[in-house]
Amino acid sequence: MKVLVIGSGGREHAICWKLAQSPSVEKVMCLPGNPGISLEEKCECLNERIDYKTKTDRNRVVEIALNDGIDLTIVGPEEPLVHGIVDDFRQKGLRIIGPEKAAARLEGSKDYAKTFMAKYGVRTSFSQTVNHYEEACKSIEQLSQFPIVIKADGLAAGKGVYICSSKGEAKEAVDELMNKGKFGESGKRVLIEEFLEGEEVSVLALTDSKVIVPLLSSKDHKRLLEGDKGPNTGGMGVVAPNPVMTDEIYNDFVSAILNPTLKGIKASGFDYRGIVFFGLMVKDKRCYLLEYNVRMGDPETEAILPLMASDLAELFLHTEQSKLDETRLKWHPGFCVNLILASEGYPNAYKKGKVITGCDRSIVQDESKVFFAGVGLNDKSELINTGGRVLSVSSTGDDLESDLV
Ligand code: AMP
Ligand code: GLY
């Protein structure tokens, strides 16, 4: 089988690496991928830039899949999904993993997701959606408890969430989103949300709209520095499974969040054959859903896939063929820790084009694995940094402590 993976980050590297291990996979193509992914066995990157907002560009991806005889496509990032790439593929009879465009709104609009949660009884924090700046300020004026969370309704590359500790800060955030247009259309509508103090847990699950199968839980560490300090980032490292996820908490997650979500997917009549990512907050032993994503997490994927003993290609095929009820997931025992190496200055401005040494096939040692993200080649074909998060290392072990030595 020939598979196509859309995306270019560490998550896509991990997906390509895991798919290439499947005996049924003869070739993995990655669009556009990165030079680190090209080092993997069976993997080839297609260096084309696609604007997923435009139908012509999405059709170009359909054309690539048809011309290259791709049997199955996996979409890494949210953008192609929100713009309807799954619908484009399925209309041509091509196999693809992901939700149809209507269901991708669960990530594409936080207001839509909140309405869905309320309708199907998924436990979440209180929130109010506002459409005008004046309306937002009026609501903020009435608040007495802080901090409060202000969120852009639409996609904002993980940066549209503000934790505000005063009325002034909240109004500033709303001004940035609604008046100054920091995230364009995505911030024209805003959610004012109750702040929940607790422990975060990420759970990725596969669904074929009939059943939903959770993968191992994980914990993303969003702050830049050691000891949960510094600014928020796209994620600096992950631990899997998440030690917070005891049996008791897991059972609460299943009854308060997982099952009602599946009920909602069924009742909405969605063609959802893909991944549901639950961003949870655990407070007083109860799970609250902060957000849905409709794709795998980055860097969660880099910590979860090294622990997977099942054949990922087979799992995705079963998802696409609505045969998940026949699937039993297998995991290696122990833990995985994924640690990100970022460009100096990230998440603010940083210099690109610095040469990275010591990275070739031979760096795959023992229980550790390097996944490349923001990397490219210079005109001497040397590996250079091109993004904020450059690469990450995933290590597995029997317990968390031995990983951290
Ligand atoms: P989201 O994109 O909605 O997952 O939010 C990004 C991050 O903001 C989360 O991972 C949390 O760290 C934080 N966050 C979002 N919503 C809340 C909330 N209601 N209470 C506390 N923290 C939140
Ligand atoms: N690590 C969080 C995300 O992928 O959205």
Side-chain angles (χ1 to χ4, degrees):
M1 164 163 84
K2 253 182 163 180
V3 293
L4 173 67
V5 176
I6 293 176
S8 64
R11 163 184 51 205
E12 288 74 22
H13 189 169
I15 295 170
C16 289
W17 164 78
K18 186 70 188 165
L19 286 172
Q21 289 169 20
S22 168
S24 64
V25 170
E26 64 186 82
K27 183 149 198 189
V28 181
M29 311 202 47
C30 194
L31 176 68
N34 68 48
I37 297 176
S38 307
L39 294 174
E40 294 289 345
E41 298 281 333
K42 304 186 191 174
C43 294
E44 181 189 328
C45 294
L46 301 169
N47 199 7
E48 272 196 50
R49 292 287 147 189
I50 305 286
D51 175 5
Y52 288 96
K53 280 193 225 56
T54 67
K55 177 87 176 155
T56 8
D57 268 32
R58 292 198 304 278
N59 282 344
R60 170 73 196 124
V61 186
V62 169
E63 195 184 292
I64 291 172
L66 287 169
N67 291 346
D68 285 329
I70 299 293
D71 300 292
L72 181 67
T73 298
I74 294 100
V75 187
E78 59 277 18
E79 229 213 329
L81 296 167
V82 167
H83 292 299
I85 192 137
V86 167
D87 309 53
D88 298 326
F89 266 61
R90 290 193 181 140
Q91 273 157 21
K92 293 284 180 201
L94 288 166
R95 292 194 159 121
I96 187 162
I97 293 297
E100 62 173 323
K101 187 177 180 183
R105 278 182 295 169
L106 287 172
E107 176 162 2
S109 163
K110 289 187 189 289
D111 175 56
Y112 179 80
K114 281 283 186 187
T115 310
F116 178 94
M117 292 177 215
K119 188 164 176 190
Y120 299 106
V122 179
R123 195 191 292 138
T124 184
S125 52
F126 293 109
S127 85
Q128 183 200 355
T129 300
V130 288
N131 290 296
H132 303 284
Y133 174 71
E134 292 74 24
E135 190 189 352
C137 289
K138 222 166 134 188
S139 295
I140 291 166
E141 266 312 318
Q142 283 158 11
L143 297 172
S144 56
Q145 275 200 332
F146 288 87
I148 194 85
V149 188
I150 303 287
K151 292 185 179 181
D153 174 52
L155 294 184
K159 298 182 184 97
V161 175
Y162 299 74
I163 314 281
C164 305
S165 50
S166 66
K167 287 182 185 176
E169 265 183 38
K171 284 184 190 168
E172 233 170 77
V174 168
D175 178 51
E176 206 166 290
L177 292 171
M178 301 185 102
N179 296 335
K180 302 207 170 103
K182 183 156 187 206
F183 299 107
E185 282 304 307
S186 289
K188 293 288 168 225
R189 188 188 283 183
V190 160
L191 276 74
I192 304 174
E193 194 171 293
E194 170 198 14
F195 175 82
L196 293 175
E197 177 99 65
E199 296 265 11
E200 286 189 58
V201 177
S202 306
V203 181
L204 313 184
L206 286 165
T207 187
D208 55 9
S209 305
K210 289 196 301 188
V211 295
I212 190 160
V213 183
L215 311 185
L216 284 185
S217 65
S218 57
K219 183 175 174 76
D220 188 6
H221 294 72
K222 292 224 160 62
R223 299 290 201 95
L224 180 71
L225 306 172
E226 201 67 33
D228 246 357
K229 302 237 162 49
N232 262 352
T233 68
M236 293 308 291
V238 168
V239 170
N242 190 326
V244 170
M245 199 61 146
T246 58
D247 286 351
E248 185 189 356
I249 309 273
Y250 182 78
N251 290 338
D252 179 68
F253 161 67
V254 170
S255 60
I257 289 161
L258 189 75
N259 289 344
T261 297
L262 181 62
K263 189 176 88 187
I265 289 174
K266 285 183 184 171
S268 308
F270 288 151
D271 177 6
Y272 200 139
R273 286 172 274 159
I275 290 115
V276 187
F277 170 131
F278 299 89
L280 307 173
M281 187 68 88
V282 180
K283 185 186 174 190
D284 301 330
K285 300 201 173 164
R286 282 158 68 87
C287 293
Y288 295 81
L289 185 64
L290 295 183
E291 64 160 354
Y292 288 116
N293 294 320
V294 295
R295 36 101 193 151
M296 294 177 83
D298 194 348
E300 284 88 343
T301 304
E302 292 93 305
I304 291 170
L305 292 185
L307 291 171
M308 184 181 272
S310 304
D311 181 323
L312 184 63
E314 204 172 88
L315 264 182
F316 280 147
L317 259 191
H318 281 178
T319 306
E320 205 279 333
Q321 294 166 345
S322 295
K323 291 201 303 199
L324 267 180
D325 52 349
E326 294 171 22
T327 305
R328 271 199 54 242
L329 271 177
K330 284 182 264 156
W331 298 99
H332 298 298
F335 290 86
C336 184
V337 174
N338 173 267
L339 200 67
I340 305 265
L341 273 73
S343 301
E344 192 178 355
Y346 173 80
N348 301 316
Y350 52 84
K351 283 207 178 108
K352 294 182 185 179
K354 292 189 177 173
V355 176
I356 304 162
T357 52
C359 291
D360 55 32
R361 268 182 218 279
S362 64
I363 54 173
V364 184
Q365 296 166 345
D366 304 325
E367 281 105 26
S368 290
K369 171 80 192 130
V370 173
F371 295 118
F372 289 95
V375 294
L377 296 177
N378 64 14
D379 48 16
K380 292 188 217 144
S381 291
E382 292 164 318
L383 199 65
I384 52 166
N385 73 321
T386 56
R389 290 185 296 174
V390 180
L391 58 90
S392 69
V393 186
S394 287
S395 302
T396 52
D398 295 338
D399 52 60
L400 281 174
E401 288 70 25
S402 54
D403 283 331
L404 295 173
V405 171

